[in-house]
Amino acid sequence: MNLKESIQSKKLPEHIAIIMDGNGRWAKQKGRLRAFGHENGAKSVKRTVETCTELGIKHLTLYAFSTENWNRPKLEVQTLMRLLVSSLKKEIKTLQDNNIKLAAIGNLKLLPKKVFNELNEVMDQTKFNSRMTLTLALSYGSREEILNTVKEISIKVKNNIISPDDIGESIINEHLYTQNLPDVDLLIRTSGEQRISNFLLWQIAYAELFFTKVLWPDFTKEHLYEAIMEYQKRERRFGKTSEQLN
Ligand code: FPP
């Protein structure tokens, strides 16, 4: 049995989320500009989407641009936005051919008009695809998402649409950007940093965390297999004992 088959014969994570880190350092190591790192990061995105689709992963969420990333030099922000538009234009056909739905989470109103429009166009064209959902976190911050949720629920309580007694996990889930997604099963971060950096704080409550030193542009199919194999070795107890699980 090859690696891919042995992974698929065990329980797959339904939802993988990735903090794609290390583009800048990868470029620096090569004496190149950061933009070169991001361009190669985009190639890694393509590879990872292909691998997840082949394996049968249902949801892949990528941290492409955080609320904090707006503070980067203007030129770098422009480069990332341009790369996003060109990748969307280039990959729409691949998404369609592979039955992949594109979704986005974050404060999308802050995106430049061109990016916002292109993104909406691709999301609209792929909205009925069902093999896998690829969600891009753009202008995303988890605390902001939770704050918005609290505000929206408070307004509904104030207007007697819901009662405080109704507020439970499901009401909160329904108000998050990720309302259509299941909880994250496996969170991967590349580049050796072991932080969550304001990504999906509510949604990773029971996720398995996998940190690798590999820089994002170097992240290959085999690295993803390794992360999934590690996930499959772990015992997810959700607060129960091993005996209860057996
Ligand atoms: C982290 O590397 C990466 C980002 C901030 C952006 C991620 C963007 C891409 C992978 C490119 C295109 C994305 C799509 C969806 C087509 P870093 O710049 O923080 O690296 P460093 O920590 O080494 O400086």
Side-chain angles (χ1 to χ4, degrees):
M1 208 192 269
N2 67 26
L3 208 54
K4 188 176 153 200
E5 283 167 4
S6 88
I7 287 177
Q8 279 170 320
S9 68
K10 299 200 188 104
K11 195 164 167 38
L12 281 173
E14 189 185 355
H15 185 179
I16 298 181
I18 308 183
I19 304 177
M20 311 179 288
D21 198 8
N23 293 349
R25 275 163 284 169
W26 185 87
K28 195 169 178 193
Q29 282 175 3
K30 296 188 155 36
R32 304 287 297 263
L33 295 173
R34 295 177 62 82
F36 185 65
H38 294 315
E39 281 159 21
N40 282 276
K43 289 184 190 160
S44 256
V45 169
K46 187 172 163 73
R47 241 186 346 254
T48 303
V49 172
E50 274 167 10
T51 312
C52 285
T53 316
E54 282 166 18
L55 284 173
I57 303 296
K58 292 306 286 177
H59 303 278
L60 172 66
T61 300
L62 301 176
Y63 205 3
F65 196 87
S66 70
T67 41
E68 292 77 18
N69 286 154
W70 290 116
N71 300 321
R72 291 201 173 188
K74 207 172 154 201
L75 194 65
E76 181 166 349
V77 173
Q78 278 174 358
T79 303
L80 281 166
M81 293 299 146
R82 223 175 280 143
L83 191 57
L84 196 60
V85 173
S86 65
S87 301
L88 288 169
K89 281 189 197 295
K90 207 163 75 191
E91 301 304 340
I92 169 85
K93 188 165 181 322
T94 318
L95 295 175
Q96 293 292 35
D97 290 349
N98 290 285
N99 196 12
I100 301 168
K101 172 178 166 177
L102 185 81
I105 53 172
N107 190 354
L108 306 180
K109 292 187 301 290
L110 293 183
L111 295 171
K113 241 196 156 48
K114 219 171 163 181
V115 181
F116 184 82
N117 291 342
E118 191 63 39
L119 187 66
N120 276 305
E121 173 73 27
V122 179
M123 288 198 293
D124 192 53
Q125 284 188 39
T126 60
K127 67 181 172 205
F128 296 120
N129 292 350
S130 58
R131 187 170 172 194
M132 181 175 83
T133 307
L134 166 63
T135 303
L136 298 181
L138 290 166
S139 189
Y140 176 86
S142 188
R143 285 191 171 181
E144 184 186 80
E145 177 185 36
I146 292 170
L147 268 170
N148 286 340
T149 299
V150 171
K151 281 186 195 162
E152 281 179 25
I153 295 174
S154 309
I155 292 169
K156 288 187 182 167
V157 169
K158 190 177 160 208
N159 295 332
N160 291 318
I161 298 169
I162 52 175
S163 121
D165 293 336
D166 296 334
I167 303 173
E169 289 192 13
S170 56
I171 292 273
I172 293 180
N173 281 328
E174 284 162 23
H175 287 81
L176 294 168
Y177 293 133
T178 50
Q179 57 197 199
N180 300 315
L181 294 172
D183 273 358
V184 175
D185 298 303
L186 170 63
L187 174 75
I188 300 171
R189 181 170 190 151
T190 59
S191 94
E193 309 293 352
Q194 301 196 6
R195 285 190 292 276
I196 305 300
S197 300
N198 205 13
F199 189 44
L200 303 173
L201 298 177
W202 171 273
Q203 299 87 339
I204 59 164
Y206 288 102
E208 293 297 328
L209 310 181
F210 182 85
F211 299 103
T212 169
K213 287 208 165 79
V214 175
L215 302 174
W216 178 248
D218 285 332
F219 192 79
T220 61
K221 206 175 225 191
E222 283 68 32
H223 293 122
L224 185 64
Y225 287 163
E226 190 191 328
I228 296 175
M229 284 190 303
E230 171 66 33
Y231 166 88
Q232 290 178 325
K233 271 193 239 151
R234 297 198 192 161
E235 181 184 61
R236 303 185 76 201
R237 291 198 296 274
F238 300 97
K240 295 183 179 166
T241 65
S242 287
E243 291 71 27
Q244 282 176 303
L245 292 178
N246 294 327

